[in-house]
Amino acid sequence: MSQQPNTPPTSGRLQLNAVSKSFLRRGGGTPMLAVDHVSLDIPKGEFVTLLGPSGCGKTTTLRLIAGFEMPTSGQILLDDQDITNRPPNKRDMGMVFQSYALFPHMTVFDNITYGLELRKISRQNIKEQTNHALEMVGLTGLGERRPNQLSGGQQQRVALARAMVIEPRVLLFDEPLSNLDAKLRVQMRSEIRNLQKRMNITSIYVTHDQTEAMAMSDRIVVMNAGHIEQIGVPSEIYRRPASRFVADFIGRANFVETQIESVNGDGVTVRLLGQTVTVPMSTRPNIGDKFEAVLRPEGLKLHNDPSLQQVLVEQAMYLGSEIEYIVQANGKSLIVVDTDPRSEFVYSEGQTIGLGMVHETIQLLPLAPR
Ligand code: ADP
Ligand code: MG
C-alpha cells in the first residue's frame, strides 16, 4: 500500500471474451465443458460476483482470470492488453481463498510482506506498507502472532491484507467467508466491501450464497452449468430474472402458467389467478403464447375482498419481521409473504381469503419446453 492510501491504482478494467475451459473426463469420453463461452466486461473499481450452485464453473472462471488455468478458447484482457498466456505472477492480481492459505510457520507480518518482498521494495517501505495493511484490516498490534494464534475471521483478514498490500489491479475472492460463522460472515461482508470501495480495486468475488452476492455486489453474474444465465445489478436480477433458473436460484418464487390474451402498447395482458393483469414486456409475443409468471412471495397480498380469487390458508408462520403463508389456489400451493405483519391483518390456518397481486412485481418468462 502506498503512503497515500486513497490514491487508487490507475487501472483495472478486466475483459473476458468468450472464454471456455474444458477438462478431460476421467476414463475418457468427450471433454467436460466447465466454463462455456463466458464474456464479461468489468470496468475499473467494480465489484462483480460470480453466483451459482456448486459445480457451475465459478472457481474455474476465477482460476482462468488468475492464470492458474489456461482457457481452451477465448481471450482475457487487462486494461486492453491480452494476458491470456501470461503467468499468474505477472498479472498484477491478488487472490483470497476460502482456506486462507497462510504460511503457518510465518508471523502475520511476514505473511503480509511475502508479496512485497518478491517485488524488491525497500525494507522501510515494506514495513510501512505492511503496517498500513494491518491497520486497514483492523489487526494493528497482531503482526508478531502466528496464524494459529488468530481466530478464523482474523486469519481471513490477514489473507485479505496480503492480497491488498501489493495494490493489485484486480482482487479475486473464492468463497472467502464460507469457513466463518454466520454472524462474522455478515460483518466481514461489509468490511471487505468498504475496503474495496476505499481502494477502488476491481474485484471478482465467487460465492454460492445469494444473500452475500446481493449485499455486496455492484453487479451479479448468475452462472449455471458453465454459462452465464444473467448479468445485472442485484435489483434487476431479483425483480426481472431472465430465466426460471435465475428466478428460482435467487430469492423465492411461485411459478404460474399463463397465456397471452392481448398485446397492447409496450405490455401484454394475461389472466392470472382469476385476474386480468397487464405486464410490461419488451418482446412482442402472439396471442395464445404460453408463459410462466414469476410471482415473488411479497408481491402476493391476502385481502378480505370477495371480488378476488379465494384461497385457503394452509399454513401461517409468524417470523417476527414477516409472516409466511402457504395458500391453496385452485389446487396449487403458493407462498405468500406479508412483510408488514400487523396483528389486525393476520390470517390463520383453515381460513379462506382473497389473493391479490402487486402487478409491477410480476415477471413473465417464455415457458421452457420440458
Ligand atoms: P464451482 O466453483 O462453481 O463449484 P468449479 O469451477 O470448481 O465449480 O467446477 C466446475 C466443473 O468443472 C465441475 O464439474 C468440476 O468437477 C469440474 N472441474 C473443475 N476443476 C477440474 C479439474 N482440474 N479437472 C477436471 N474437472 C474439473
Ligand atoms: Mg468453487
Side-chain angles (χ1 to χ4, degrees), residues 58-59 174-175 206:
K58 305 180 297 293
T59 293
D174 194 355
E175 314 232 11
V206 161

Side-chain angles (χ1 to χ4, degrees), residues 23-24 32 34 53-61 69 206:
F23 290 112
L24 295 174
M32 181 266 185
S54 174
C56 73
K58 305 180 297 293
T59 293
T60 306
T61 304
E69 301 280 358
V206 161

Side-chain angles (χ1 to χ4, degrees), residues 1 5 96 102 108-109 111-112 129-143 150-165 171 173 184 187-188 190-196 198-199 201:
M1 239 149 286
V96 182
L102 301 175
V108 165
F109 194 92
N111 263 283
I112 298 172
Q129 291 179 31
T130 302
N131 281 330
H132 181 63
L134 276 169
E135 187 192 320
M136 293 279 271
V137 297
L139 291 180
T140 302
L142 299 186
L150 300 177
S151 70
Q154 288 172 327
Q155 290 183 52
Q156 196 52 300
R157 286 195 178 90
V158 177
L160 184 61
R162 184 182 57 187
M164 287 183 339
V165 77
L171 269 175
F173 298 86
L184 190 57
Q187 185 193 333
M188 289 287 288
S190 43
E191 285 187 25
I192 291 178
R193 183 60 166 132
N194 289 340
L195 215 50
Q196 182 270 341
R198 247 194 301 164
M199 299 189 64
I201 301 180

Side-chain angles (χ1 to χ4, degrees), residues 8 33 40 88 92 104 133 137 139 157 169 197 230 237-238 271 287 297 308 316:
L33 202 52
L40 291 171
D92 206 4
V137 297
L139 291 180
R157 286 195 178 90
R169 277 195 258 183
K197 270 188 185 159
Q230 187 172 3
I237 298 278
Y238 185 79
R271 288 287 296 169
I287 289 168
L308 292 172

Side-chain angles (χ1 to χ4, degrees), residues 118 249 281 349 360:
L118 295 178
F249 191 76
M281 191 181 274
E349 290 166 15
E360 308 85 78

Side-chain angles (χ1 to χ4, degrees), residues 348-370:
S348 36
E349 290 166 15
Q351 205 174 342
T352 299
I353 190 82
L355 180 67
M357 284 171 278
V358 183
H359 293 187
E360 308 85 78
T361 66
I362 300 169
Q363 165 84 340
L364 293 181
L365 298 173
L367 195 57
R370 265 171 239 172

Side-chain angles (χ1 to χ4, degrees), residues 51-53 210 214 220 222-224 229-231 234-256 292-298 335 361-366 368 370:
L51 173 67
Q210 45 146 328
M214 298 280 265
I220 297 175
V222 185
M223 293 184 68
N224 176 24
E229 287 270 334
Q230 187 172 3
I231 304 177
S235 61
E236 273 168 10
I237 298 278
Y238 185 79
R239 297 184 58 233
R240 297 289 165 222
S243 64
R244 184 181 172 120
F245 178 87
V246 175
D248 211 19
F249 191 76
I250 286 122
R252 289 177 297 181
N254 299 290
F255 297 99
V256 179
E292 190 162 48
V294 181
L295 306 170
R296 294 295 187 187
E298 68 283 0
I335 173 165
T361 66
I362 300 169
Q363 165 84 340
L364 293 181
L365 298 173
R370 265 171 239 172

